[in-house]
Amino acid sequence: MSSAGPSSTGSASVASVDEALLRPVRAGNAFEETVERLLRMIKLGVIGVGQRLPTERELSVRLGVARATLREAIHALADAGYVRSRRGRYGGTFVSEPQLTEGSATSVATSRSAEEVADVLVMREVLETGAAVAAAGRALDPEQRRHLRDQLAETSAAELGEYRRKDSRLHLAIAEVTGSPSLTTAVADARMRVNSLLDEIPLLPRNIEHSNAQHEAIVAGILGGDQDSARRAMTEHLAGTAALLRGFLA
């Protein structure tokens, strides 16, 4: 590891934190979890401002991700102002000074507690996973099936500025086809709280691409009447979003 990296002090406590934060990520949401792990190291001060991240090779091995995935995660953090890259003999990726400008992800992060984020995420997981399972357990009529397919297509084709609105509409459509107005209202309320968090973190193209693939799997499970598949796909999808929200905001 670089002498400027997390273990530069050589203390056992720093080494243990380093090992805990750089444990292998799960394959289902590799990009999102890589972003989360790197953000935690930066926010906890394991790698201080001006210090260099471990090499790509070391990070990819320790996190268990492909170099391409790691580069995309680092690029996302650079776009959000957390790191900067430097070329040359003493080059690498370095932690940036926090930019506390209005509306930036870095400044917003200080306004959210881990407990607040966790509360929203737990509620969302229970409601939206339950909605996917309930929807898959129903005999949907042609109009309901078309409604789901239409919302899926609109979300997949959405421009960046429209993506979160279309994404919300798809998730609400899943609740709608359960036939439970009470569940739909609860999901809508939860989604409002989720969106208030999502609006405070950057839109990451790699995450959108991944989310679209997960949306396909969720809708396929529902339309196929496969409750286990719908539950697994929704659980994985929500876990990816949760990783980004915890990373940026908690």
Side-chain angles (χ1 to χ4, degrees):
M1 179 175 292
S2 159
S3 61
S7 60
S8 59
T9 65
S11 71
S13 61
V14 172
S16 63
V17 170
D18 181 14
E19 291 168 3
L21 294 179
L22 289 181
R23 67 190 186 278
V25 305
R26 292 169 293 186
N29 292 298
F31 168 77
E32 292 84 357
E33 290 195 21
T34 298
V35 170
E36 179 190 17
R37 300 287 170 81
L38 296 178
L39 276 170
R40 283 185 178 182
M41 292 191 74
I42 293 169
K43 290 185 176 185
L44 290 173
V46 177
I47 307 178
V49 172
Q51 289 188 316
R52 185 170 53 198
L53 269 62
T55 65
E56 283 188 3
R57 180 178 180 278
E58 180 176 352
L59 285 173
S60 66
V61 170
R62 297 185 66 179
L63 293 171
V65 297
R67 295 278 284 273
T69 299
L70 177 64
R71 289 190 189 108
E72 288 177 328
I74 291 174
H75 182 71
L77 294 183
D79 285 347
Y82 286 93
V83 300
R84 67 185 188 281
S85 295
R86 185 186 304 164
R87 295 182 180 275
R89 181 178 178 184
Y90 300 104
T93 301
F94 297 81
V95 176
S96 299
E97 187 74 34
Q99 300 298 311
L100 300 181
T101 56
E102 183 178 357
S104 72
T106 306
S107 63
V108 171
T110 62
S111 69
R112 298 288 186 176
S113 68
E115 292 77 13
E116 179 184 1
V117 175
D119 177 56
V120 174
L121 296 179
V122 169
M123 179 177 64
R124 185 192 190 196
E125 180 178 5
V126 170
L127 290 173
E128 295 210 37
T129 302
V133 172
R138 296 196 74 207
L140 303 182
D141 62 35
E143 182 177 351
Q144 291 172 319
R145 298 173 76 86
R146 183 169 55 253
H147 181 48
L148 273 182
R149 290 195 183 100
D150 287 348
Q151 295 304 322
L152 175 63
E154 288 190 21
T155 303
S156 298
E159 299 291 337
L160 199 63
E162 283 286 293
Y163 188 80
R164 283 188 175 145
R165 185 174 69 83
K166 297 293 187 179
D167 177 46
S168 295
R169 193 65 193 89
L170 172 60
H171 282 263
L172 288 174
I174 292 170
E176 288 169 346
V177 300
T178 67
S180 170
S182 296
L183 178 57
T184 302
T185 298
V187 169
D189 290 342
R191 185 71 198 198
M192 286 292 294
R193 294 182 64 189
V194 171
N195 282 352
S196 73
L197 300 182
L198 289 173
D199 286 344
E200 296 174 355
I201 71 173
L203 275 166
L204 307 179
R206 178 67 181 88
N207 173 246
I208 291 176
E209 178 185 336
H210 191 199
S211 291
N212 284 336
Q214 292 174 329
H215 287 154
E216 293 273 359
I218 295 166
V219 173
I222 293 171
L223 296 180
D226 188 337
Q227 290 179 300
D228 287 340
S229 176
R231 182 184 64 253
R232 287 194 302 270
M234 181 63 85
T235 298
E236 183 174 289
H237 175 55
L238 298 182
T241 303
L244 291 180
L245 288 171
R246 287 192 302 264
F248 279 106
L249 300 181

